[in-house]
Amino acid sequence: MIVGTGAGEYALYQRLEAEGEYRVLFFVGADPWSYRTYIHDAQVRSAGEFAALCANHAIESVFYCDPTLIESLPPVKVPLQQC
């Protein structure tokens, strides 16, 4: 999962997909008009769904570029990795 939907997060998505170690399932975005749309194969979901997505989809890692976005989310038992 990637928190954020900006240019930096998109570049991170491309790198992770190219390396093949991770498969990105979701982006967590702040823009309500983009919820449930897709960025390539990853669905954009709301910050309110963050903890449930981590728990229900066996998310192994959460990546982020902007630390202020992570600070607003509830804590989860998933490794957080800054790009």
Side-chain angles (χ1 to χ4, degrees):
M1 179 183 305
I2 298 175
V3 176
T5 57
E9 289 83 7
Y10 182 71
L12 173 62
Y13 168 83
Q14 290 180 310
R15 189 187 76 197
L16 292 172
E17 289 286 314
E19 290 172 356
E21 185 177 346
Y22 294 96
R23 182 172 160 252
V24 179
L25 300 177
F26 302 104
F27 283 88
V28 174
D31 301 324
W33 54 84
S34 66
Y35 297 164
R36 304 224 183 231
T37 61
Y38 285 83
I39 299 175
H40 291 279
D41 293 331
Q43 191 176 49
V44 179
R45 302 296 285 265
S46 74
E49 300 174 285
F50 176 70
L53 290 169
C54 287
N56 296 336
H57 294 277
I59 300 299
E60 295 177 9
S61 292
V62 174
F63 293 86
Y64 65 97
C65 296
D66 182 350
T68 61
L69 297 176
I70 282 291
E71 293 168 1
S72 65
L73 297 173
V76 291
K77 296 180 180 177
V78 176
L80 303 176
Q81 300 185 41
Q82 188 170 7
C83 65

